[in-house]
Amino acid sequence: MDFLPGFHPVGVAQWALVVTSIGIVLLLSFLVLNSRQAGLSHIPGPFLARYTDGWALYTAWRGIHFHNKVHVQRGLQARYGDVVRTGPRSVTVFDPAAVPVIYGVRSKLDKGNAYVPFRQAGMTTSLLSIPDEKTHSQYRKLVSNAYSMTSLKGYEPYVDDMVNRFVEVCNQHAFARKPMNLSLWCQYYCFDVVSKITMGKPLGSMQGEGHDAYGLVQRVRAFGFYSGLVSQMPWLHKVLQDNALMRKTRPSPFMKVVGGTVQARLRAPDPEDQPRPDLLSHFVATHAGYPSLMDEKQVLIMTSGNLIAGGLSPSASFDELCRYLATHPGSQDKLYAELQQAQCRLPASYDHVKNLPYLEGTIREAYRLHSSTSFNLQRVTGTAGLELPNGVQIPPNTNIGCPAGAINQDVRVFGADAAVQPRAVDAARERNE
Ligand code: HEM
């Protein structure tokens, strides 16, 4: 039966095929053109990476999922050398000599779009995600006083309170011969410490049996996974953010408590229960002096950003440090002997422990073996491009970055045993000297 005269189903299928084919040809032409325009054909790298960031996205997913990020990075270096094209407009540099050229304060390279997912509430002024160096240094100057050595020493009593609680919990578990999830407690401890030095009060993670206050540990972990992926294809973040299903309509409990504290402190800058300055009091004082740049929203962004940035990396690093020490009893003994010889009391002051070489070496070694970032800290080459120390020319507007994990295991810097983890902590002192 002919319902629509002149309408043939086969014709529709043919049209669909033609339209799809044209779409594919246009897409492929765009990818090839985009790849050629980048001017990176002299840089070796995986075939797919020349045309699409999808390769980097997939590789990042594998690295996170199988916990073998550094292994993958080192495999790339072994195959393609020190400078590898990892995207149509992205280059990864494994040469340690390039680190100061890309990240040095004098280089002044802007940050790339990989930082877009780190914007808070879409604002472009959260310190971590400000792309251009000029604006970044303007905002950084506003708060640099809060991070000076004098200010940091002022926060020490806050940290001591948290150290005392952490040791109390460890003792309780030890005396009761009860197993303790040290990894989790490292996170509770670091988030409470950073909350105490930022807002003068802990989030409460170490109270009682310990718990993930405001679900922060869980949320930050999920965000680490998310940002590790979307930073490879930042336009994905925008698509997901604009999606009605993903859009958040209400602030999280964490943002509610931070927002409430910030508002209260903006209204009463020196409350009686605030015996000594914390980071927020510095931010509030800056607000009073520079209200247009450091407006109330900026105080909130600095506070919440600090809580997340300051809890996330230290907790992961502290967790690794404890793990290495727990699995290397010999190193533990050496460290304990050094602390005893220095007649350290609990909680030890920074001045008392700052010149202990084995302690310093152990901490540095844990940082070295644990790469805290899930993606290269991306920078963008300026209008003049960039010449790398090994002579390779990088054209303008190229995303460039060094993979911390692979660089930290580079034999040219750390010696032949750089990747041999069991010897790492014992070698700490030697490396530090
Ligand atoms: C083990 C300790 C830490 C590690 C490994 C670490 C690591 C990092 C890294 C990799 C960045 C990004 C740098 C970039 O993109 O160029 C960063 C930025 C930042 N971190 Fe940390 N961090 C640590 C401790 C802290 C603490 C304790 C605080 C706060 C009290 C903090 C607050 C910040 C802030 C505010 C930024 C943004 C700075 C800017 O862009 O100028 N971090 N951190």
Side-chain angles (χ1 to χ4, degrees):
M1 220 188 325
D2 206 359
F3 289 110
L4 291 171
F7 178 86
H8 300 294
V10 176
V12 172
Q14 278 170 336
W15 270 111
L17 193 66
V18 171
V19 170
T20 311
S21 309
I22 292 176
I24 290 174
V25 170
L26 285 176
L27 180 67
L28 290 178
S29 312
F30 167 76
L31 295 180
V32 171
L33 215 65
N34 184 40
S35 174
R36 293 238 169 114
Q37 277 174 348
L40 291 172
S41 50
H42 59 300
I43 313 262
F47 175 77
L48 272 181
R50 281 185 228 165
Y51 302 104
T52 167
D53 286 319
W55 177 86
L57 180 75
Y58 173 68
T59 311
W61 174 80
R62 279 181 60 95
I64 298 172
H65 187 72
F66 295 109
H67 300 286
N68 64 354
K69 188 178 55 178
V70 179
H71 180 74
V72 172
Q73 290 170 353
R74 297 185 72 213
L76 267 182
Q77 182 185 17
R79 183 148 181 209
Y80 299 105
D82 268 348
V83 187
V84 183
R85 186 178 190 180
T86 44
R89 289 172 184 270
S90 301
V91 167
T92 296
V93 183
F94 291 89
D95 178 7
V99 172
V101 176
I102 296 170
Y103 299 105
V105 275
R106 287 220 214 117
S107 320
K108 295 196 183 307
L109 298 190
D110 287 350
K111 288 180 175 178
N113 282 336
Y115 285 86
V116 169
F118 292 88
R119 287 182 186 164
Q120 291 179 57
M123 299 269 296
T124 52
T125 51
S126 76
L127 211 49
L128 183 64
S129 68
I130 297 175
D132 74 287
E133 182 55 30
K134 212 168 145 209
T135 317
H136 181 263
S137 87
Q138 202 180 10
Y139 277 91
R140 201 185 47 213
K141 269 189 206 134
L142 281 179
V143 294
S144 56
N145 185 30
Y147 299 91
S148 69
M149 191 38 104
T150 316
S151 301
L152 292 185
K153 282 192 177 172
Y155 309 142
E156 251 194 307
Y158 285 140
V159 181
D160 290 348
D161 291 348
M162 297 298 100
V163 170
N164 288 336
R165 172 64 190 145
F166 185 67
V167 172
E168 185 185 34
V169 171
C170 291
N171 282 341
Q172 279 167 357
H173 281 80
F175 293 136
R177 304 187 78 77
K178 207 166 113 191
M180 177 176 173
N181 185 337
L182 198 52
S183 257
L184 210 51
W185 276 94
C186 284
Q187 313 220 19
Y188 295 162
Y189 166 75
C190 286
F191 277 107
D192 269 5
V193 168
V194 78
S195 171
K196 183 101 180 168
I197 64 173
T198 305
M199 308 193 294
K201 57 182 179 189
L203 288 173
S205 315
M206 288 201 293
Q207 272 169 13
E209 293 292 300
H211 71 292
D212 181 8
Y214 306 102
L216 197 58
V217 172
Q218 199 57 40
R219 291 170 73 91
V220 163
R221 202 176 290 166
F223 181 70
F225 179 74
Y226 172 80
S227 59
L229 295 186
V230 293
S231 57
Q232 311 300 322
M233 255 190 190
W235 59 264
L236 267 183
H237 176 67
K238 188 142 181 40
V239 172
L240 292 169
Q241 239 194 355
D242 290 347
N243 182 325
L245 287 174
M246 296 282 289
R247 206 177 301 139
K248 274 196 232 135
T249 46
R250 273 181 298 170
S252 66
F254 166 69
M255 280 313 285
K256 266 193 201 159
V257 75
V258 179
T261 310
V262 168
Q263 277 306 317
R265 294 280 287 278
L266 281 167
R267 306 289 158 251
D270 298 309
E272 279 169 17
D273 62 348
Q274 198 57 46
R276 60 184 81 89
D278 50 23
L279 280 143
L280 180 52
S281 40
H282 284 281
F283 303 156
V284 171
T286 311
H287 165 68
Y290 304 87
S292 54
L293 214 51
M294 189 75 162
D295 60 12
E296 294 195 358
K297 214 165 183 183
Q298 190 62 21
V299 175
L300 175 63
I301 284 187
M302 271 313 303
T303 310
S304 57
N306 197 76
L307 282 164
I308 295 166
L312 176 66
S313 306
S315 61
S317 312
F318 186 39
D319 179 11
E320 289 291 285
L321 174 60
C322 292
R323 190 167 68 82
Y324 287 123
L325 282 173
T327 51
H328 295 77
S331 303
Q332 239 188 87
D333 291 344
K334 279 188 202 166
L335 183 59
Y336 190 62
E338 187 181 70
L339 295 173
Q340 265 192 324
Q341 206 183 3
Q343 299 181 329
C344 277
R345 296 236 179 87
L346 199 73
S349 72
Y350 170 72
D351 282 334
H352 203 144
V353 297
K354 69 180 177 193
N355 290 323
L356 300 183
Y358 199 80
L359 173 67
E360 174 84 13
T362 309
I363 294 171
R364 281 175 185 238
E365 197 67 354
Y367 283 166
R368 183 182 75 81
L369 289 171
H370 166 68
S371 55
S372 63
T373 53
S374 53
F375 64 95
N376 294 349
L377 300 177
Q378 192 186 69
R379 299 294 183 264
V380 184
T381 55
T383 45
L386 188 73
E387 181 176 331
L388 295 176
N390 61 4
V392 175
Q393 296 287 341
I394 307 294
N397 295 320
T398 304
N399 297 321
I400 192 164
C402 297
I407 298 251
N408 283 346
Q409 294 191 8
D410 195 298
V411 292
R412 290 169 286 189
V413 180
F414 297 102
D417 66 343
V420 187
Q421 305 228 350
R423 285 183 56 194
V425 178
D426 282 329
R429 182 176 191 154
E430 209 178 299
R431 288 211 176 99
N432 194 36
E433 279 167 357

